[in-house]
Amino acid sequence: MIDPGLVLDGPTRQRLAARFGDGTGAWCDALPGLVGLLSARWGFTVEAALPGGNSSRTLRCRTADGRSAVLKLVPEPELAAAEIAVLRIWSSAPGVVKLLDADLEHGALLLEGLSPGTPLMDSRRQITLPELATLMPQLHLRLARNDFPSLAERMDFLFQLAEKRRTGSRAARFVTAEHVRRSRQAALELAEDGEKVLLHGDLHAGNVLDAGPERGLVVIDPRPCLGDPASDLIDWVLCPTGPAGRIK
């Protein structure tokens, strides 16, 4: 019997409702049953909940053959479908987390567990610019088909989300609606320039894990889109650097 409190706690439920709306409640109520169904089908046991959870619920698992895995459950079918599709495209890339199995109908992904699997934002390890230079070409593929949204669409969504969070917050005193409007316009203009390659779309330090000395850096949680490869580097360009080009 899977503990419902382990599957989904109150704060995570609130974050999911804030992101996807109150209609997420029925999905949250059904989650323990879904995890039980998937654990029987895929042969894993749930060990612990993982932190985070603004747009999904993730649980650390152990497969029947003893491997570490992560069960990711996504309330919005389109997000799950895009992530499943792009992980399959990147299946041979060592710098991308491996998709072990998927159930698109239920928005469920079974992903490999990584060791130590520490997000770089929480890790003391300083990465180098050459490490990033090795990672990026694995992601930035040229596709024959345009099955993913454009970078401009991705930027527009991010500004809609930013405006939703800004309204009524303390930041509204300093970041006005006019600031957001002008920034959005500039971002959309930039998004139309450059090459059109496959992008991660959300490549900040929380979505890059330290997978140990043999595997190196591994990305998770893509929001795939098509556009200028430089956009995936924005967060990293803003990071302070130390000696020998190490990112602090």
Side-chain angles (χ1 to χ4, degrees), residues 2-244:
I2 295 176
D3 178 9
L6 174 62
V7 172
L8 188 66
D9 57 17
T12 303
R13 185 177 183 126
Q14 291 174 359
R15 287 194 296 270
L16 291 171
R19 170 66 172 80
F20 296 106
D22 293 336
T24 313
W27 181 86
C28 291
D29 291 341
L31 213 54
L34 175 58
V35 173
L37 173 70
L38 294 172
S39 66
R41 180 191 302 171
W42 289 337
F44 63 78
T45 56
V46 176
E47 294 185 332
L50 294 173
N54 290 327
S55 59
S56 65
R57 182 57 164 167
T58 52
L59 303 169
R60 189 177 73 239
C61 306
R62 185 71 54 183
T63 63
D65 59 3
R67 290 180 297 165
S68 175
V70 172
L71 177 65
K72 181 173 183 177
L73 302 154
V74 184
E76 190 170 286
E78 290 184 0
L79 286 182
E83 183 165 354
I84 291 168
V86 79
L87 290 181
R88 286 173 173 163
I89 291 173
W90 285 330
S91 61
S92 62
V96 178
V97 67
K98 303 304 178 190
L99 179 68
L100 304 179
D101 215 328
D103 182 336
L104 180 55
E105 179 184 356
H106 293 106
L109 295 79
L110 189 65
L111 306 166
E112 65 171 328
L114 299 167
S115 179
T118 309
L120 292 187
M121 65 185 300
D122 300 326
S123 174
R124 294 185 177 182
R125 178 163 108 70
Q126 293 186 359
I127 66 172
T128 65
L129 294 177
E131 283 182 282
L132 282 175
T134 299
L135 177 62
M136 294 302 169
Q138 300 177 44
L139 308 177
H140 297 158
L141 308 179
R142 290 171 176 80
L143 302 181
R145 296 171 53 186
N146 296 337
D147 292 337
F148 298 103
S150 68
L151 177 59
E153 291 173 292
R154 172 69 179 159
M155 289 294 104
D156 193 45
F157 165 77
L158 290 176
F159 275 94
Q160 290 179 37
L161 187 61
E163 178 59 17
K164 178 181 176 182
R165 293 175 176 174
R166 184 196 70 85
T167 304
S169 72
R170 288 181 294 178
R173 295 176 52 197
F174 309 101
V175 182
T176 67
E178 177 62 13
H179 288 138
V180 175
R181 186 195 67 78
R182 291 166 55 191
S183 298
R184 175 183 174 277
Q185 182 179 356
L188 292 179
E189 290 175 0
L190 286 171
E192 296 296 340
D193 292 337
E195 299 180 78
K196 299 295 185 290
V197 301
L198 183 58
L199 305 174
H200 180 282
D202 197 22
L203 198 61
H204 55 75
N207 284 340
V208 182
L209 306 186
D210 177 4
E214 292 187 8
R215 186 76 174 272
L217 303 180
V218 175
V219 303
I220 61 170
D221 293 347
R223 292 290 180 265
C225 55
L226 300 172
D228 188 337
S231 66
D232 266 348
L233 287 165
I234 292 172
D235 283 71
W236 305 94
V237 169
L238 298 175
C239 289
T241 57

